[in-house]
Amino acid sequence: MTQTIEDLFDASIERYKAGEGPDTLIPVFKDICERARKSSPAWTCLAWLYLLDNKPTQAYNAAQKAVKLNPQDPQAQVNLAIAMLETSKKGVRDHIELAQQIMMVAKELEDEVKQNLEEGLSRKPDWKSLQRVQQWLFEA
């Protein structure tokens, strides 16, 4: 029985939630992104995994694709902002403001982003860029 891209994506998300690390999940999400090039959620996940794995340039490239495919995804915007901070790129504020605007209208997305940031800090406690973004988004 062959696994669909959606099944593979869902199974990989579950593996991540179970505590599996970026070292084993990055190749899986790279494959998903290759097979489903227009899947913003897959690119968003790949960017997040690269960020967790201290690969900000790859994270930036993946996050750019995710934002291009779905500019209304606040997590994609947040990932791009974090990657920009970590690669010293300009324009971070635009992505923070857009994420804030989207979350104002979609409260469930705000909760999801909050949970993701907290989860990121649980995996990488001294993540300065994430802490800055979290502060800008939720303590402003």
Side-chain angles (χ1 to χ4, degrees), residues 74-136:
Q75 187 64 54
Q77 295 288 345
V78 166
N79 290 355
L80 184 54
I82 294 169
M84 291 173 78
L85 284 172
E86 294 193 359
T87 55
S88 302
K89 297 198 183 318
K90 296 185 183 328
V92 173
R93 181 182 299 168
D94 294 341
H95 298 286
I96 296 295
E97 289 174 354
L98 189 51
Q100 286 173 320
Q101 290 168 6
I102 297 163
M103 290 187 300
M104 271 195 275
V105 237
K107 208 65 173 161
E108 71 282 358
L109 294 177
E110 179 181 343
D111 294 340
E112 189 178 306
V113 169
K114 263 185 194 171
Q115 288 172 359
N116 290 341
L117 296 180
E118 288 167 10
E119 195 277 333
L121 285 173
S122 75
R123 287 186 184 234
K124 197 172 161 182
D126 294 328
W127 195 351
K128 299 291 182 230
S129 301
L130 185 140
Q131 291 168 340
R132 285 176 68 190
V133 167
Q134 186 178 39
Q135 187 174 15
W136 291 333

Side-chain angles (χ1 to χ4, degrees), residues 27-76:
V28 176
F29 277 96
K30 279 173 71 173
D31 180 53
I32 294 169
C33 289
E34 284 296 314
R35 293 165 59 190
R37 294 188 178 275
K38 296 192 185 286
S39 172
S40 176
W43 287 107
T44 301
C45 290
L46 182 60
W48 182 255
L49 291 168
Y50 278 136
L51 287 168
L52 283 171
D53 205 29
N54 299 313
K55 295 179 177 167
T57 302
Q58 292 97 319
Y60 176 76
N61 293 334
Q64 273 191 310
K65 288 179 182 145
V67 165
K68 185 176 182 184
L69 290 166
N70 184 5
Q72 300 305 311
D73 179 355
Q75 187 64 54

